[in-house]
Amino acid sequence: MADCLFCRIVAGEIPATIVKRSEDAVAFRDIDARAPTHVLVIPMAHVAAVRDARGREGEQLLGRLLQFAAEVATELGLDAGGYRIVTNTGKDAGQSVDHLHFHVLGGRKLGWPPG
Ligand code: DGP
């Protein structure tokens, strides 16, 4: 989508610190890091939010993205201390970019519940 920020990162039009790529996903550092390690995992194809990943195709995409996020966490050294994978959906959750993304947060003790 031309006016989507994360599609523009995928296209290389907006710079980002990419930490890992797969066939259909990209992981890059969040510009507004809320933890010592804060990475976003996104599908390369535009999907607005987790609620839009429907059917068998959506099921497979979400599975791949979660597995990819776990691989990213391992590669960034988060397995020993633990980490959180979270996706905000819609305005009450504070979703600010309408392109599906999983936050991978770690490197400090994370509070629960989130605010
Ligand atoms: P959310 O609020 O859940 O929609 O998360 C969106 C995240 O995207 C937020 O933590 C900040 C991050 N972000 C916004 N703009 C940019 C950008 O241009 N580059 C990078 N790397 N991250 C961005």
Side-chain angles (χ1 to χ4, degrees), residues 4-16 18 21 26 44:
C4 169
L5 177 65
F6 287 175
C7 285
R8 295 188 67 197
I9 286 178
V10 169
E13 294 168 12
I14 293 176
I18 310 276
R21 295 178 192 272
V26 181
M44 289 170 66

Side-chain angles (χ1 to χ4, degrees), residues 5-6 9 14-17 28-32 38 40 88 93-97 101 103:
L5 177 65
F6 287 175
I9 286 178
I14 293 176
T17 305
F28 55 93
R29 303 269 179 196
D30 194 296
I31 206 169
D32 184 22
H38 187 172
L40 300 174
N88 295 320
Q95 183 178 7
S96 61
V97 180
H101 49 284
H103 297 257

Side-chain angles (χ1 to χ4, degrees), residues 6 12 17 23 35 42 44 47-48 53-54 58 66 69 75 83-84 87 90 92 98 101-102 111:
F6 287 175
T17 305
E23 259 181 29
I42 68 167
M44 289 170 66
V47 176
R54 301 287 189 190
L66 269 180
E75 288 176 18
Y83 55 90
R84 182 170 297 156
T87 183
D92 280 358
D98 288 333
H101 49 284
F102 288 101

Side-chain angles (χ1 to χ4, degrees), residues 64-112:
R64 287 196 302 277
L65 287 171
L66 269 180
Q67 202 165 62
F68 181 66
E71 289 167 11
V72 168
T74 297
E75 288 176 18
L76 294 178
L78 297 178
D79 279 337
Y83 55 90
R84 182 170 297 156
I85 297 174
V86 64
T87 183
N88 295 320
T89 305
K91 65 177 170 52
D92 280 358
Q95 183 178 7
S96 61
V97 180
D98 288 333
H99 182 127
L100 172 62
H101 49 284
F102 288 101
H103 297 257
V104 181
L105 297 142
R108 68 168 170 81
K109 182 92 177 151
L110 299 166
W112 189 263

